[in-house]
Amino acid sequence: MKDCIFCKITQGEIKSYIVKESPNFLAVLDIHPHSPGHTLVIPKEHFVNLKELKLELAEEFIKMIQEIMILLEKVFMTNDFTLGINEGPLAGQTVSHLHFHIMPRFKNDRGGSIHSVVYNPPQESLEVIYQRIKNES
Ligand code: 5GP
Ligand code: ZN
């Protein structure tokens, strides 16, 4: 897609530090790493978000994530990671091309858990929330 920075990266138009490549994905070092080894797994095809990802690519996507984790474990001597996707602008997505963050974690690295990215507990009870979801499914 025109003007997409990650399409430019996957097409080799912009330089990046490529950690690993598979037929449909690229793993590159994040340009502003939040931890040593902070890597992004990016599909070569332009999908905005996880919902758009073709299901036939899901296994290759997970495999790439696992392989990067194994590699980073060896290099940085840690078994711990924060893994995830900022899905949509309200969740902090700044590049509208699907990408999966792999962040190695270390003792006293001044980070938190996924729980620390939001605290907006519902006013309604869990029962009401559950029923709203079940009514739709
Ligand atoms: P988001 O906030 O959308 O989940 O994350 C986008 C990520 O892409 C950020 O962590 C940012 O540092 C990274 N990023 C933005 N532009 C570039 C770039 O040109 N090259 C690389 N390697 N990473 C980038
Ligand atoms: Zn793109």
Side-chain angles (χ1 to χ4, degrees):
M1 175 160 295
K2 202 173 163 289
D3 295 333
C4 171
I5 193 135
F6 284 179
C7 281
K8 288 185 177 149
I9 284 179
T10 56
Q11 285 157 22
E13 290 170 26
I14 290 182
K15 181 188 154 41
S16 65
Y17 290 98
I18 298 171
V19 177
K20 206 171 181 71
E21 181 165 9
S22 73
N24 295 289
F25 294 89
L26 215 57
V28 303
L29 292 181
D30 194 295
I31 203 166
H32 299 302
H34 276 241
S35 74
H38 181 177
T39 298
L40 304 173
V41 177
I42 307 172
K44 292 180 183 174
E45 189 176 338
H46 183 93
F47 305 110
V48 172
N49 54 38
L50 189 64
K51 259 191 319 190
E52 286 191 359
L53 179 72
K54 288 182 186 142
L55 267 185
E56 61 260 34
L57 298 181
E59 187 173 344
E60 187 183 329
F61 189 35
I62 298 291
K63 187 165 183 277
M64 177 67 116
I65 292 165
Q66 290 180 336
E67 287 174 358
I68 298 298
M69 290 168 70
I70 289 165
L71 185 61
L72 296 176
E73 277 174 2
K74 283 195 205 127
V75 175
F76 295 102
M77 304 294 287
T78 182
N79 296 313
D80 297 4
F81 295 89
T82 290
L83 304 170
I85 296 170
N86 294 319
E87 179 93 353
L90 298 182
Q93 184 173 7
T94 59
V95 178
S96 298
H97 179 135
L98 174 63
H99 51 284
F100 190 94
H101 292 265
I102 303 176
M103 298 175 176
R105 297 299 302 269
F106 302 91
K107 199 170 168 58
N108 300 325
D109 66 5
R110 294 178 291 164
S113 72
I114 282 178
H115 299 83
S116 63
V117 302
V118 63
Y119 189 68
N120 180 28
Q123 305 294 315
E124 299 155 301
S125 67
L126 274 191
E127 177 63 29
V128 171
I129 297 281
Y130 176 72
Q131 287 307 333
R132 282 178 61 187
I133 295 168
K134 290 303 283 180
N135 289 345
E136 199 57 44
S137 62

